[in-house]
Amino acid sequence: MKPRYKRVLIKVSGEALAGPDKFGISDEMLSGIAAQIKEIHELGVQIAIVVGGGNFWRGRTGQSIDRATADYMGMLATTMNAMALQDAFEKQGLPAAVQTAISMTQIAEPYNRKKAISHLEAGKVVIFGTGTGSPFFSTDTTSALRAAEIDADVILLAKKVDAVYSADPEVDPNAIKYDQLAHKEVIEKQLGVMDITAATLCMENNIAIHVFGVSEKGNMLKAINGEKIGTIVR
Ligand code: UDP
């Protein structure tokens, strides 16, 4: 089957890398995600990744720490995940580059849009660490920004939950599952797919978002092949 998308931006949240205790990196989750991404890479899809850091630290966690400082700490947390993903890809024979918006040249390339695109064209997976490089933003917003910059066909939002619901399905048994949504609905109904800044950026730049559950093996492949799983925001 011919993949539906040529170039994708995958958002991997920190939580998706953590084990049941929701902290740190689980070997199983890490290698599982790398294997799913390898499957779609083998179809010739160009893959860029924005990785979160919530499995280690979120800016809003540090109550007594100045918010900007706490956010910079969160950006450092994303770098640990980026390095772990790079290692997991390389172990599976997939070449991968890490680019960070905050320079740390001993361990990663500084973010460079043209170089990122040339890596993608050469078949390398590109992992973007340290978010936008600025506090008060999120890695969701980074995903929207980088997707626009590299002209990705879609943002694949690999989540723990399998789709977008009207309420948290674990709390509310009457929560409705959405197959398709408009960006405007996500913003107006505050559906929590991504933060409002990120959703607005996607709406303004016409970027589609495909939300699906990553725990189920093969879902990434289904999403790439255009099968009806999860929720599509367009
Ligand atoms: N962060 C930031 N600017 C950015 C991206 C991230 O300040 O452009 C910080 C922020 O503190 C955030 C943390 O990094 O809480 C981790 O990112 P995020 O919460 O988006 O990770 P996720 O929830 O996806 O694991």
Side-chain angles (χ1 to χ4, degrees), residues 20-194:
D21 56 0
K22 297 193 173 168
F23 186 83
I25 298 171
S26 137
D27 283 339
E28 201 187 331
M29 292 303 287
L30 180 66
S31 59
I33 286 180
Q36 286 206 49
I37 291 175
K38 190 177 178 210
E39 264 183 341
I40 62 167
H41 184 266
E42 279 164 2
L43 300 176
V45 179
Q46 295 181 14
I47 298 157
I49 296 172
V50 167
V51 67
N55 52 329
F56 288 117
W57 183 266
R58 284 195 178 96
R60 53 184 188 279
T61 320
Q63 308 267 327
S64 66
I65 301 171
D66 173 71
R67 173 65 194 266
T69 301
D71 275 344
Y72 280 114
M73 291 165 65
M75 288 186 261
L76 293 180
T78 71
T79 312
M80 290 201 271
N81 289 332
M83 292 173 74
L85 275 173
Q86 182 186 37
D87 183 76
F89 287 133
E90 286 173 353
K91 288 216 164 83
Q92 299 195 17
L94 203 63
V98 176
Q99 289 201 345
T100 55
I102 295 172
S103 285
M104 28 186 120
T105 50
Q106 283 82 357
I107 52 173
E109 293 174 11
Y111 173 64
N112 181 305
R113 174 178 167 266
K114 290 215 163 141
K115 197 156 182 211
I117 292 173
S118 90
H119 281 322
L120 292 172
E121 284 169 346
K124 262 194 191 182
V125 174
V126 180
I127 308 158
F128 297 120
T130 73
T132 59
S134 298
F136 303 101
F137 287 101
S138 67
T139 52
D140 282 352
T141 307
T142 314
S143 304
L145 180 62
R146 296 289 183 250
E149 286 187 88
I150 64 165
D151 199 18
D153 302 326
V154 69
I155 296 177
L156 298 181
L157 218 55
K159 290 253 193 195
K160 281 235 151 136
V161 57
D162 67 337
V164 182
Y165 289 83
S166 58
D168 184 346
E170 278 182 22
V171 180
D172 182 352
N174 298 319
I176 303 161
K177 181 175 170 180
Y178 295 108
D179 295 330
Q180 196 159 330
L181 281 164
H183 291 94
K184 222 172 163 199
E185 287 176 278
V186 171
I187 297 164
E188 282 170 4
K189 294 185 177 142
Q190 302 198 357
L191 288 174
V193 185
M194 47 170 49

